[in-house]
Amino acid sequence: ETCLKGTRQDILEKTRSWATDIDAPNILWINGYPGVGKSAIASTIVEELRVSNRLGSKFFFQRERASAMTPNALWRTVAHDLSQRYSSIREHVVTALNKNESLPMSSSIDSLFQELIYEPLTKSDDIPIDKLPVIVLDALDECGGVDGWRSDHRKRLMRTLKSWSSLPGRFKLVVTSRWERDIERLFSTTSHHSIEVISGENVDAVSSADIRAFLLHELDQLVDRYPSLPTDWPGGEAILRLIDGAKGVFIWVKTVIKLLEIWDAETGETVLGPLQHHSGSVASVSFSPDGRRIASGSRDHTIRVWDAETGQTVLGPLQGHSGRVNSVLFSPNGKRVVSGSYDDTIRVWDAETGETVLGPFQGHNDSVWSVSVSPDGKRIVSGSPDYTIRVWDAETGETVLGPLRGHSDSVTSVSFSPDGGRIVSGSEDYTIRVWDAETGETIVGPLRGHGGSVTSVSFSPDGRRIVSGSYDHTTRVWDTEAGETALGPLEGHSDSVHSVSLSPDGKRIVSGSHDCTIRVWDAETGEMALGPLRGHTNWVLSVSFSLDGKRIVSGSRDCTTRVWDAETGQTVLGPLQGHNDSVCSVSFSPGGKRIVSGSLDHTIRIWDAEAGETALGPLRGHTKWVLSVSFSPDGKRIVSGSSDYTIRVWNAETGETVLGPLQGHTSSVWSVSLSLDGRRIVSGSEDYTIRVWDAETGETVLGPLHGHKSLVSSISFSPDGRRIVSGSKDYSIRVWDAETGEMVLGPLRGHINSVSSVAFSPDGRRIVSGSGDNSIRVWNAATCEAEVDPFPAPKINAESVSLFSAGKLLAPASDNRASRLLDSANKSNGRFVSLFPSISRNKLLNYVLLDRYLHYFP
């Protein structure tokens, strides 16, 4: 199966360039996590090589066929294919076979490689350069089957790959694989060119765009199969959440699509299945790390493993427990299944053969309700109705810690922190506790707040928050340092708010939402003062006040811009049409006579704020999404930031690029802002850094400033230009000295999700921030303390904040962070489902099936 047309173009282009460069290393290693589409990329490369007449041979390893797909079979196949295609190679191969007819069956892979591959290729120097062969070897990590790196086949193959690197550069070999120790060791000492297929927290805009295209394609096919579904099903916000949830992993999308096929997400009716074989109720289910399998535990005392694509049973029933299986989950490497049972024991199973490899672990004097494996796979934690928690050695089955006592009722859920250093537990005593995984001491808690049994607990990926679910019908988010409720119960609006901005006098806040409306709020009380303003037909991604505070400009995913009367809420201009994709950033000029807009169509437009007509543009130069635009204080220039990693400065009269592209960032530029004197530009990037540029020369004058641990989503100068405030996806706010680059304040913590937008107040004494935790906060810029309680903005995802002072634009770029279409903070509901390996899995699939948006935290 090849890549969807139009996707993975960046990787394919790099591959094409490498294939034509004779001086480049002759091995290309395409690597990444399971499920990111490495095999699809390999298949696409094969087809391109076939068309260009350069395909030498291909070989796709399969773990389940390890006994047949050996290194011997690989090199025999390559020798055969090359001999069929190139007469000079054929001549040398035939000579070798005449000398030793048993060579193809030789147990010495080194001899076979030397005589059928290495020598024939080194002696064949008459192949035209445009027909030089490229060999494609897919899924190297599946060589050796379940034995993996311990397999003799795999070890022998590694030696031959090392030998390939010493062949002339004209003979190219493409290898795809996961990161496994022996493979990484090989390439650490072997000349090669590497391409990583980005995924997880490091996923970039290009990969996310590919996921988006693939998801839309799969959903279109699903809608075609079920004509009763609306044509825009499952809705824009659900699609956005799925894109973010995938984190660049294509198999994740395919698995979700399969789930959507099994269940109608609108009606809750089963449209495929049920998957039947258990003779009792299914108490627990869990995905394998690569999303290809599902393990289920049942009241019938058995465990089954299912193919997540076809719904077929691939393993089981696994028998051994003498009571119902309450909890099952895969180990982080997917090779083991761990189960906890009503028979008071824990067992570890081989995920390939179904055999019990460890257990039963005995120690609890009542049922085991929940089990979780540490991130390194070395320990197992269990919770029980005997009120205790135990930690076990995953290799020996011995109790290494516990029983841990503290809860006064059944322990219903347990989970390790991402670093494995802590354990969180939830109980029927309505409380949550955090334990030191080494000493067993309670380090946080008991956390009280739920009005019913705590049914599920899990750490956030950074380990700083805990999310909990309860029989009291609520979800809460807890600060693991302070031991307090950081947010919740969440209540509010009908959908996410992507952008907020303050009026010039700081008394009002305007918000734009996924519900297609705009609202105006009292900045002191948080009450709605105006709205909802209706007119846009898709998400409102960016909003901002004019300098006199009388008008509001908005940009939308419906590809239009509108101008509203800030007193009456009436549309006074628009819709302004011209962009052919979402308008994700808008801003007034200092005089209020013009509006600049940036779009996902890669262009910038300038509009007459009175007539509503395009005054200039489209301005072309950026090669990817325009994420941030702003006028200079004198209105003569426009600065823009883009997902093409660059910044450009434009002449606001002629539309010409007057500076740039400014290069230095190594990932998307999410936010740009000009100092009040117009001499400097500050930028925040997905590469976690901040840079300050000379607005005349384009040179970097400060930075990169390091400190944030995730992408810098918003950046702004203070009114006097001496400080810079930054907000990040790492949930924090920092203030920097604009001259030295030193951090002078922060990190300010309080938000429990990505900080999407920050700006100084007109007097520089306060900082306002908007976050994906559905709140807006106001901070004292001198003491770091929150001055105002978080506004319970209706379902707010406060993606953009900007402040103005009379006659002066203080944060010209801070009103445009509405473009973060792929940010994981895009949520509109207080319910969350954790899809991380550390989660207690016993209720995961139930949540997935019941919650049509597949909520993802954080």
Side-chain angles (χ1 to χ4, degrees):
E1 185 176 334
T2 59
C3 299
L4 179 67
K5 185 177 180 181
T7 63
R8 295 306 193 199
Q9 290 303 305
D10 55 331
I11 293 175
L12 294 174
E13 182 55 40
K14 291 176 183 176
T15 303
R16 296 181 196 114
S17 177
W18 165 84
T20 56
D21 185 359
I22 295 179
D23 296 324
N26 65 359
I27 298 179
L28 171 64
W29 181 31
I30 300 176
N31 51 84
Y33 283 110
V36 295
K38 299 183 295 295
S39 292
I41 293 170
S43 296
T44 305
I45 292 171
V46 165
E47 293 309 309
E48 288 195 357
L49 292 171
R50 197 191 309 278
V51 171
S52 64
N53 210 23
R54 288 197 60 187
L55 179 62
S57 183
K58 63 182 176 69
F59 195 93
F60 285 42
F61 280 108
Q62 297 176 34
R63 183 172 287 109
E64 60 271 23
R65 297 183 59 201
S67 59
M69 305 190 78
T70 62
N72 184 295
L74 161 67
W75 296 125
R76 280 191 288 114
T77 300
V78 172
H80 170 270
D81 292 345
L82 292 175
S83 297
Q84 290 283 337
R85 176 167 169 71
Y86 302 99
S87 58
S88 58
I89 294 177
R90 180 168 62 247
E91 177 181 341
H92 298 299
V93 169
V94 169
T95 298
L97 292 175
N98 284 333
K99 290 181 179 178
N100 183 0
E101 293 182 358
S102 63
L103 184 59
M105 297 298 107
S106 172
S107 60
S108 172
I109 186 66
D110 297 298
S111 297
L112 186 149
F113 178 83
Q114 184 70 23
E115 296 180 48
L116 293 186
I117 302 294
Y118 195 91
E119 291 181 4
L121 290 183
T122 54
K123 294 175 182 177
S124 301
D125 55 4
D126 59 346
I127 301 174
I129 192 168
D130 60 340
K131 294 183 179 180
L132 287 170
V134 179
I135 315 300
V136 179
L137 192 166
D138 181 61
L140 171 59
D141 53 280
E142 297 195 24
C143 175
V146 295
D147 291 330
W149 61 271
R150 291 182 291 268
S151 163
D152 287 336
H153 284 317
R154 178 99 144 243
K155 293 173 183 177
R156 293 166 185 164
L157 176 57
M158 293 299 173
R159 293 198 300 269
T160 58
L161 292 178
K162 181 81 172 178
S163 297
W164 183 283
S165 68
S166 63
L167 280 167
R170 62 183 181 274
F171 298 114
K172 303 286 190 179
L173 173 66
V174 178
V175 178
T176 74
S177 81
R178 304 177 185 180
W179 297 304
E180 294 195 356
R181 285 183 297 175
D182 59 329
I183 298 174
E184 290 186 273
R185 191 181 308 117
L186 166 71
F187 286 116
S188 70
T189 59
T190 302
S191 177
H192 72 287
H193 182 69
S194 178
I195 297 177
E196 178 184 349
V197 186
I198 303 296
S199 63
E201 291 301 317
N202 295 323
V203 67
D204 57 16
V206 175
S207 294
S208 294
D210 288 344
I211 285 287
R212 180 177 186 271
F214 181 69
L215 174 62
L216 293 177
H217 175 265
E218 295 293 303
L219 288 173
D220 285 344
Q221 291 188 324
L222 195 59
V223 170
D224 289 341
R225 286 197 292 274
Y226 301 99
S228 62
L229 292 174
T231 55
D232 62 345
W233 181 88
E237 186 169 357
I239 290 173
L240 189 60
R241 289 199 180 97
L242 291 171
I243 292 171
D244 183 70
K247 297 293 183 186
V249 180
F250 281 76
I251 193 67
W252 193 95
V253 173
K254 292 184 72 69
T255 301
V256 168
I257 292 296
K258 181 57 64 178
L259 286 172
L260 293 175
E261 287 186 278
I262 296 173
W263 302 83
D264 187 306
E266 296 293 330
T267 67
E269 297 177 358
T270 304
V271 295
L272 182 65
L275 309 182
Q276 295 176 323
H277 279 305
H278 282 299
S279 58
S281 59
V282 178
S284 177
V285 289
S286 173
F287 278 106
S288 63
D290 61 8
R292 295 180 180 179
R293 293 173 294 166
I294 297 170
S296 59
S298 170
R299 284 180 177 266
D300 66 9
H301 305 184
T302 72
I303 298 162
R304 289 177 179 267
V305 180
W306 313 78
D307 186 301
E309 296 291 320
T310 66
Q312 298 296 312
T313 301
V314 294
L315 196 64
L318 311 186
Q319 297 176 323
H321 284 300
S322 58
R324 74 184 182 202
V325 180
N326 294 323
S327 181
V328 292
L329 79 163
F330 282 92
S331 61
N333 63 9
K335 295 181 178 180
R336 300 287 185 266
V337 174
V338 179
S339 59
S341 169
Y342 198 74
D343 65 9
D344 305 355
T345 72
I346 298 162
R347 287 176 178 262
V348 180
W349 313 77
D350 187 298
E352 297 294 330
T353 67
E355 296 179 357
T356 300
V357 294
L358 205 60
F361 302 173
Q362 296 177 320
H364 285 296
N365 54 31
D366 205 335
S367 308
V368 178
W369 276 10
S370 179
V371 290
S372 179
V373 183
S374 62
D376 61 8
K378 295 180 179 180
R379 291 176 296 164
I380 297 167
V381 63
S382 58
S384 168
D386 66 7
Y387 302 3
T388 72
I389 298 161
R390 287 177 178 262
V391 181
W392 314 78
D393 187 301
E395 296 297 325
T396 67
E398 296 179 357
T399 300
V400 294
L401 194 64
L404 310 185
R405 304 182 189 278
H407 286 296
S408 58
D409 209 331
S410 301
V411 180
T412 55
S413 181
V414 290
S415 181
F416 277 99
S417 62
D419 62 5
R422 291 169 295 165
I423 296 165
V424 62
S425 59
S427 169
E428 286 193 343
D429 65 9
Y430 300 9
T431 73
I432 297 161
R433 289 176 179 261
V434 181
W435 313 77
D436 187 299
E438 294 298 325
T439 67
E441 295 179 358
T442 300
I443 52 179
V444 180
L447 308 183
R448 304 182 189 278
H450 281 299
S453 299
V454 179
T455 55
S456 182
V457 289
S458 179
F459 279 97
S460 61
D462 64 4
R464 293 190 291 191
R465 299 290 184 268
I466 294 167
V467 63
S468 60
S470 167
Y471 279 140
D472 66 8
H473 301 171
T474 70
T475 299
R476 287 178 180 262
V477 181
W478 309 80
D479 185 305
T480 59
E481 297 297 326
E484 300 174 351
T485 301
L487 186 69
L490 304 181
E491 299 174 357
H493 204 275
S494 63
D495 217 331
S496 298
V497 175
H498 245 290
S499 178
V500 294
S501 176
L502 273 91
S503 60
D505 59 10
K507 294 181 179 180
R508 290 175 296 164
I509 298 169
V510 62
S511 58
S513 170
H514 282 181
D515 63 11
C516 309
T517 72
I518 296 162
R519 294 172 184 258
V520 181
W521 312 84
D522 185 297
E524 295 297 323
T525 67
E527 295 180 0
M528 188 175 71
L530 188 67
L533 312 185
R534 304 182 188 278
H536 284 299
T537 59
N538 209 322
W539 301 347
V540 180
L541 301 177
S542 182
V543 289
S544 179
F545 278 99
S546 61
L547 287 179
D548 58 11
K550 295 181 179 180
R551 291 175 296 166
I552 296 165
V553 62
S554 60
S556 168
R557 200 177 181 188
D558 64 10
C559 307
T560 73
T561 302
R562 287 177 178 261
V563 180
W564 313 78
D565 186 298
E567 296 297 326
T568 67
Q570 298 295 312
T571 301
V572 294
L573 199 63
L576 311 183
Q577 297 175 318
H579 286 296
N580 55 34
D581 207 335
S582 301
V583 178
C584 52
S585 180
V586 290
S587 180
F588 276 102
S589 65
K593 295 182 179 180
R594 290 177 298 166
I595 297 167
V596 63
S597 60
S599 170
L600 299 189
D601 66 9
H602 305 183
T603 72
I604 298 164
R605 287 177 180 263
I606 300 175
W607 311 82
D608 186 303
E610 298 296 326
E613 298 176 355
T614 300
L616 193 64
L619 311 186
R620 304 182 189 279
H622 285 299
T623 58
K624 293 182 181 177
W625 299 345
V626 179
L627 302 176
S628 182
V629 291
S630 179
F631 277 98
S632 61
D634 61 8
K636 295 181 179 180
R637 292 174 297 166
I638 294 165
V639 63
S640 60
S642 168
S643 61
D644 64 10
Y645 305 0
T646 72
I647 299 160
R648 287 177 178 263
V649 180
W650 313 77
N651 184 305
E653 296 297 325
T654 66
E656 295 179 355
T657 300
V658 294
L659 194 65
L662 310 186
Q663 297 175 321
H665 284 298
T666 59
S667 194
S668 300
V669 179
W670 283 102
S671 180
V672 289
S673 178
L674 277 147
S675 60
L676 193 58
D677 61 11
R679 294 180 179 179
R680 289 177 298 164
I681 299 166
V682 65
S683 58
S685 169
E686 196 168 344
D687 63 12
Y688 303 3
T689 72
I690 297 161
R691 288 176 179 263
V692 180
W693 314 77
D694 186 300
E696 296 297 325
T697 66
E699 295 180 358
T700 301
V701 294
L702 196 64
L705 309 185
H706 295 278
H708 283 297
K709 297 179 181 179
S710 189
L711 69 86
V712 180
S713 49
S714 182
I715 198 84
S716 180
F717 279 102
S718 62
D720 61 9
R722 297 169 62 181
R723 292 173 295 167
I724 296 166
V725 63
S726 60
S728 168
K729 195 177 177 182
D730 66 9
Y731 306 0
S732 76
I733 298 160
R734 293 171 185 260
V735 180
W736 313 79
D737 186 299
E739 294 298 324
T740 67
E742 294 182 0
M743 188 174 71
V744 294
L745 200 63
L748 310 186
R749 303 191 186 280
H751 285 298
I752 61 167
N753 211 316
S754 304
V755 179
S756 310
S757 185
V758 289
F760 279 97
S761 62
D763 59 9
R765 295 180 180 178
R766 294 182 296 166
I767 295 167
V768 63
S769 61
S771 167
D773 65 10
N774 299 347
S775 74
I776 301 164
R777 288 178 179 263
V778 180
W779 311 80
N780 184 303
T783 66
C784 305
E785 296 177 354
E787 286 195 341
V788 182
D789 290 336
F791 295 162
K795 288 304 180 191
I796 196 162
N797 185 6
E799 286 284 348
S800 181
V801 177
S802 66
L803 285 82
F804 303 82
S805 69
K808 294 182 179 180
L809 182 62
L810 296 180
S814 59
D815 57 349
N816 52 38
R817 249 67 62 198
S819 58
R820 298 181 55 217
L821 298 177
L822 302 177
D823 188 277
S824 65
N826 297 334
K827 301 180 181 66
S828 66
N829 196 301
R831 297 167 294 164
F832 299 93
V833 170
S834 174
L835 300 181
F836 291 90
S838 62
I839 187 176
S840 174
R841 308 277 187 151
N842 42 335
K843 292 182 177 63
L844 173 59
L845 191 58
N846 286 335
Y847 277 91
V848 171
L849 299 178
L850 290 174
D851 193 328
R852 68 174 185 156
Y853 289 128
L854 298 175
H855 287 295
Y856 180 84
F857 177 80

